[in-house]
Amino acid sequence: MKRKILRILLLLALVLCQKAPAQGFIDWNASWAYFKGTAEPSVPNTLWREAGFDVSGWATGNAPFRYGDGTGGTLLDDMAGTYSSMYLRKEFTVTDADSVDELRISVDYDDGFVLWINGELILDVNAPAGYPYDGFAPANHESGEWVTFVVAKENFLLVEGTNVIAVQGFNVSNTSSDFFLDLKAEGI
């Protein structure tokens, strides 16, 4: 009888210690509002990252955003020689913000990006200082494999309901032969 109780308690402890499955917030090939970096996307230039920003004048397209690499998504066949960055925005819903201990953000990119959630900087990867619309990634990074970043709870703020993810992608030069940006975001 004691062994049976111990087994039940052990099983119960294992079940209680298991982490809930990941909450999918954004999947690969998702639809985004986007703005080509031919000028600042807002005045002031940080406003586009905030909740409530009106993207009705922006285009909509599916990731990946690309030229020269990959297939599918949104082809940016006018990027080479014209603009060096682009802006993405997407709303996502969180039903239980307190249960999210980490964000797992997987990105396939060429060449750099910056990511904000609800206006707060979360990731700065191979991006120029100050994030100008006409800036360039400081180094080359080839797409083709995603890189996963895990962000601890103290470094982000999610709210119950609607949240906003904002991403600025950068090319390495105006003469670059390619650009690529796609991402997946999960709460764990």
Side-chain angles (χ1 to χ4, degrees), residues 11-34:
L11 182 61
L12 182 59
L14 287 172
V15 169
L16 292 175
C17 290
Q18 287 183 347
K19 200 160 180 79
Q23 297 180 46
F25 297 140
I26 299 170
D27 209 352
W28 300 111
N29 308 316
S31 178
W32 295 78
Y34 73 95

Side-chain angles (χ1 to χ4, degrees), residues 92-140:
F92 63 97
T93 303
V94 176
T95 55
D96 186 5
D98 290 337
S99 70
V100 180
D101 293 323
E102 298 175 331
L103 288 176
R104 182 171 41 213
I105 301 171
S106 300
V107 188
D108 190 356
Y109 65 100
D110 184 336
D111 289 295
F113 68 94
V114 185
L115 184 144
W116 296 265
I117 293 181
N118 298 326
E120 297 297 319
L121 179 65
I122 303 296
L123 293 171
D124 176 331
V125 179
N126 200 34
Y131 321 126
Y133 77 92
D134 56 355
F136 296 103
N140 188 44

Side-chain angles (χ1 to χ4, degrees), residues 6-188:
L6 280 174
R7 280 189 214 141
I8 291 171
L9 289 174
L10 181 59
L11 182 61
L12 182 59
L14 287 172
V15 169
L16 292 175
C17 290
Q18 287 183 347
K19 200 160 180 79
Q23 297 180 46
F25 297 140
I26 299 170
D27 209 352
W28 300 111
N29 308 316
S31 178
W32 295 78
Y34 73 95
F35 181 84
K36 297 175 180 180
T38 56
E40 293 292 354
S42 63
V43 176
N45 67 354
T46 58
L47 187 61
W48 72 277
R49 306 171 194 161
E50 304 294 330
F53 178 74
D54 181 11
V55 294
S56 62
W58 289 27
T60 303
N62 286 358
F65 294 86
R66 64 177 188 80
Y67 78 87
D69 277 344
T71 60
T74 301
L75 179 61
L76 303 172
D77 56 1
D78 61 341
M79 187 175 195
T82 308
Y83 53 97
S84 59
S85 72
M86 68 166 314
Y87 301 84
L88 304 173
R89 272 183 60 97
K90 183 168 186 59
E91 292 183 346
F92 63 97
T93 303
V94 176
T95 55
D96 186 5
D98 290 337
S99 70
V100 180
D101 293 323
E102 298 175 331
L103 288 176
R104 182 171 41 213
I105 301 171
S106 300
V107 188
D108 190 356
Y109 65 100
D110 184 336
D111 289 295
F113 68 94
V114 185
L115 184 144
W116 296 265
I117 293 181
N118 298 326
E120 297 297 319
L121 179 65
I122 303 296
L123 293 171
D124 176 331
V125 179
N126 200 34
Y131 321 126
Y133 77 92
D134 56 355
F136 296 103
N140 188 44
H141 179 274
E142 287 302 316
S143 63
E145 292 185 25
W146 67 85
V147 178
T148 299
F149 303 89
V150 178
V151 182
K153 188 173 195 142
E154 59 269 11
N155 296 317
F156 63 87
L157 176 64
L158 294 177
V159 297
E160 301 288 324
T162 303
N163 291 263
V164 175
I165 187 168
V167 183
Q168 185 176 4
F170 292 94
N171 210 341
V172 74
S173 74
N174 270 341
T175 58
S176 176
S177 63
D178 54 13
F179 175 85
F180 193 95
L181 185 57
D182 195 359
L183 69 86
K184 178 178 183 174
E186 301 172 294
I188 48 179

